[in-house]
Amino acid sequence: MINPQLNAQGELIHLLTTEGLSRKILTQILDRAADFVKDGELVNQKFTDLAGTSVFNLFFENSTRTRTTFEIAAKRLSADVSSLNIQASSTAKGETLLDTIHNLEAMGANLFVVRHSESGAAHLIARHVKPGVSVVNAGDGRHAHPTQAMLDMFTIRHYKQDFTKLRVAIVGDILHSRVARSQIHALSTLGCPEIRVIAPKTLLPTAVEQLGVHVYHDMAEGLKDVDVVAMLRLQNERMSGAYLPSTQEFFKYYGLTEEKLALAKPDAIVMHPGPMNRGVEIDSVVADGKQAVILPQVTFGIAVRMAVLSIVTANQRSAKQ
Ligand code: CP
């Protein structure tokens, strides 16, 4: 089957999902991101990879980390960056998504970074942009959040080096989580031998085992001897009914506390994509504790987004020559 993210040479020109991407491409993103990081910090230098490239950030849904780090990443690569204020744009007057895209293309857009509440929005745009224009998915509905997953992979590789020796637990609202889906695809492609999901039955997709994960409903069992604990936010905005008796009850059974974390390996790292609900999915003592790598995740997010922007732009340019 043709992968809409790749050109005829099999190179990445859009990043829409981690699903179906090869280990070679995922590793290319991680290795390129590593060029922008030294001793765990972002290299303080401007690059010219995106000089002459016009990047439009289109965030139809709220964001702090993804929006800001994409903006920083594009500027670090010398792109011309425009961030549309969606509330004040003509979509608020009824203009369709594709009409907005075509108008921005008429202004010279080369690359769109898109967050949307509808699953499939980034794929739709990628199908309709002009040849040579790239689309990077910054999160679509419950479907995918590929750059979040790749910054999580970068973080794991930074602290743990070898994916093929790891036991990773993803904890919380798997059902509504685009992050979990993208993490699972990336982890399995990168060779992680044991991916666990820990959640109440009401917050798990049906047939989740088909993704190759081990399912746990009990934190004490699921966290035992894991190397990585990847917490998720309760996606209240995507819940239409009652999935939980209460947030207090959720915290009691699935919130990450020091006591529960003690069941993981002593050097286990704790990740969270943010925004965090302290006291709901994670206790502040853990969120701010020694094992948490939540803020490094944000820093690495800039490097990973720089890598993605740089790779898709280089592949589009080489196809033109
Ligand atoms: N992790 C994440 O996507 O955060 P934002 O919603 O702040 O972008």
Side-chain angles (χ1 to χ4, degrees):
M1 205 171 81
I2 293 168
N3 187 328
Q5 309 185 87
L6 308 178
N7 64 15
Q9 291 72 46
E11 300 165 328
L12 194 72
I13 51 167
H14 305 291
L15 180 59
L16 309 175
T17 170
T18 52
E19 186 177 3
L21 290 181
S22 63
R23 188 182 294 197
K24 184 174 164 205
I25 287 185
L26 298 189
T27 306
Q28 180 192 17
I29 295 171
L30 298 179
D31 289 346
R32 183 74 183 115
D35 295 338
F36 303 122
V37 173
K38 191 162 188 288
D39 301 329
E41 303 285 339
L42 204 63
V43 173
N44 189 16
Q45 186 189 329
K46 197 131 172 161
F47 298 81
T48 56
D49 305 38
L50 265 66
T53 298
S54 185
V55 174
F56 278 78
N57 287 324
L58 308 179
F59 279 69
F60 294 87
E61 198 188 67
N62 294 345
S63 169
T64 297
R65 282 145 288 270
T66 313
R67 180 183 172 133
T68 313
T69 55
F70 261 117
E71 209 168 302
I72 295 168
K75 286 178 180 167
R76 284 265 171 130
L77 295 171
S78 306
D80 300 315
V81 185
S82 305
S83 294
L84 213 67
N85 178 354
I86 300 296
Q87 277 76 33
S89 76
S90 290
T91 44
K93 298 182 194 164
E95 184 170 71
T96 68
L97 179 59
L98 291 180
D99 277 334
T100 300
I101 294 295
H102 294 319
N103 277 272
L104 297 175
E105 283 182 320
M107 297 175 206
N110 303 111
L111 195 155
F112 294 108
V113 176
V114 184
R115 168 168 290 191
H116 205 287
S117 57
E118 292 294 327
S119 297
H123 278 79
L124 175 78
I125 297 169
R127 275 202 304 278
H128 288 90
V129 289
K130 292 194 293 201
V133 173
S134 289
V135 179
V136 177
N137 184 3
D140 63 326
R142 312 177 176 192
H143 172 240
H145 195 348
T147 58
Q148 177 67 49
M150 291 312 296
L151 75 87
D152 295 336
M153 296 308 110
F154 188 92
T155 307
I156 292 172
R157 195 174 80 161
H158 179 81
Y159 288 101
K160 298 285 167 197
Q161 288 82 46
D162 187 356
F163 288 100
T164 67
K165 295 189 168 65
L166 297 182
R167 209 174 271 142
V168 177
I170 304 173
V171 185
D173 183 1
I174 314 284
L175 178 65
H176 301 100
S177 177
R178 55 197 178 203
V179 174
R181 255 169 274 278
S182 293
Q183 287 172 331
I184 291 166
H185 290 303
L187 281 167
S188 52
T189 301
L190 290 166
C192 178
E194 191 171 339
I195 308 166
R196 301 178 179 182
V197 293
I198 313 176
K201 283 190 181 129
T202 51
L203 292 179
L204 280 169
T206 47
V208 67
E209 297 88 349
Q210 286 174 9
L211 294 174
V213 297
H214 302 266
V215 175
Y216 292 84
H217 302 298
D218 184 304
M219 286 282 265
E221 289 173 21
L223 289 179
K224 198 161 168 20
D225 295 331
V226 298
D227 301 279
V228 177
V229 186
M231 299 304 296
L232 297 170
R233 182 173 68 85
L234 269 187
Q235 311 271 302
N236 288 310
E237 73 278 19
R238 287 191 243 286
M239 293 186 195
S240 50
Y243 289 85
L244 301 166
S246 68
T247 50
Q248 289 84 352
E249 186 140 350
F250 181 79
F251 182 70
K252 181 174 164 197
Y253 291 106
Y254 295 98
L256 189 63
T257 57
E258 276 187 310
E259 294 72 34
K260 291 185 194 131
L261 180 58
L263 299 163
K265 286 192 182 160
D267 62 349
I269 55 168
V270 175
M271 305 201 303
H272 194 300
M276 278 188 290
N277 294 307
R278 289 170 184 262
V280 177
E281 64 254 357
I282 189 163
D283 191 76
S284 275
V285 175
V286 177
D288 303 326
K290 282 203 304 278
Q291 288 168 263
V293 295
I294 296 165
L295 294 177
Q297 281 177 267
V298 178
T299 305
F300 295 152
I302 298 174
V304 166
R305 288 171 176 134
M306 287 172 78
V308 170
L309 296 176
S310 168
I311 290 167
V312 297
T313 301
N315 291 339
Q316 293 280 26
R317 283 180 183 163
S318 68
K320 269 189 206 156
Q321 284 159 5

